[in-house]
Amino acid sequence: MRKVRQNVLIWITLVVLASNAFLGYQIYSLIHPQTASSQTIYLNSSSLSSNQGSTQVIRTLNGTSFSYEYDVRLSVSKLGTYLIGIDPKGFSSLYVLIYKDDGNTTSLSLNNTKAQIVVTDHEFEFKMFVSGVYENNQTVTPQVIANALGLYYQFLSPLNGIGKVSNSSIDHETNSSD
């Protein structure tokens, strides 16, 4: 009789441990959504509209100095924290300033190519000011710079029910470097 009770207690303990491990994994997965499966979306010149009124191009010995302003409109399916970044090709210097309608700004450069932003509307719009020196000898146009910039975004984490980022205490823009 005593041996049966001992076996029952062992089985109950094993079932409780297995269910706790399963539930713990489920809670961890809910709190820490996977970002590896999030698709990175690259934007090209057709995704960006250039404001020709603020164009400046100057040829120098080491390339072409430029300054362009772009209007960017993104349609996102999920609200939350996004990684926005650049993958620049052919620049000896580069500075990107992202200016949102709410007055928040994010800056990117050759040394700081990505940042986190919080998106609270499915239609997300911002102005982007891009300036620098492009090393390539081809004619510098807003389309050439937009394509060489390699602008992309990627979903990181959702908002919770009260409009805050669900997996951290981030509720403002933060820059991060490579």
Side-chain angles (χ1 to χ4, degrees):
M1 185 74 153
R2 186 174 166 190
K3 182 76 168 164
V4 172
R5 286 185 190 172
Q6 187 178 11
N7 285 341
V8 169
L9 285 175
I10 289 173
W11 279 107
I12 290 173
T13 303
L14 290 175
V15 168
V16 167
L17 285 174
S19 63
N20 281 344
F22 176 75
L23 291 174
Y25 175 76
Q26 293 297 321
I27 290 172
Y28 179 84
S29 297
L30 181 66
I31 294 173
H32 301 91
Q34 297 295 322
T35 58
S37 63
S38 294
Q39 181 182 9
T40 301
I41 300 170
Y42 281 87
L43 303 173
N44 57 24
S45 62
S46 63
S47 306
L48 310 174
S49 62
S50 174
N51 185 346
Q52 296 293 342
S54 63
T55 298
Q56 181 181 11
V57 176
I58 301 169
R59 292 214 179 269
T60 63
L61 291 176
N62 60 345
T64 304
S65 177
F66 65 90
S67 178
Y68 292 118
E69 177 184 332
Y70 298 92
D71 292 319
V72 182
R73 172 180 244 162
L74 305 177
S75 294
V76 296
S77 59
K78 300 176 189 174
L79 302 181
T81 302
Y82 280 78
L83 180 70
I84 190 162
I86 55 174
D87 186 15
K89 304 278 190 276
F91 296 96
S92 61
S93 71
L94 179 67
Y95 185 74
V96 178
L97 180 66
I98 296 171
Y99 180 77
K100 294 179 7 179
D101 289 340
D102 62 6
N104 288 322
T105 60
T106 301
S107 61
L108 303 171
S109 67
L110 290 176
N111 296 328
N112 183 29
T113 60
K114 56 189 171 184
Q116 290 183 1
I117 58 173
V118 176
V119 177
T120 57
D121 192 4
H122 291 288
E123 292 293 321
F124 181 65
E125 298 178 20
F126 58 88
K127 286 200 177 293
M128 184 171 68
F129 302 95
V130 181
S131 62
V133 176
Y134 190 60
E135 296 173 335
N136 199 330
N137 288 334
Q138 78 183 77
T139 304
V140 175
T141 65
Q143 293 77 21
V144 168
I145 296 301
N147 288 332
L149 190 60
L151 183 67
Y152 66 90
Y153 67 98
Q154 179 182 22
F155 178 74
L156 293 178
S157 65
L159 295 176
N160 63 16
I162 57 173
K164 301 282 187 195
V165 176
S166 64
N167 68 345
S168 70
S169 61
I170 300 173
D171 47 299
H172 60 283
E173 282 70 42
T174 58
N175 283 341
S176 62
S177 59
D178 283 337

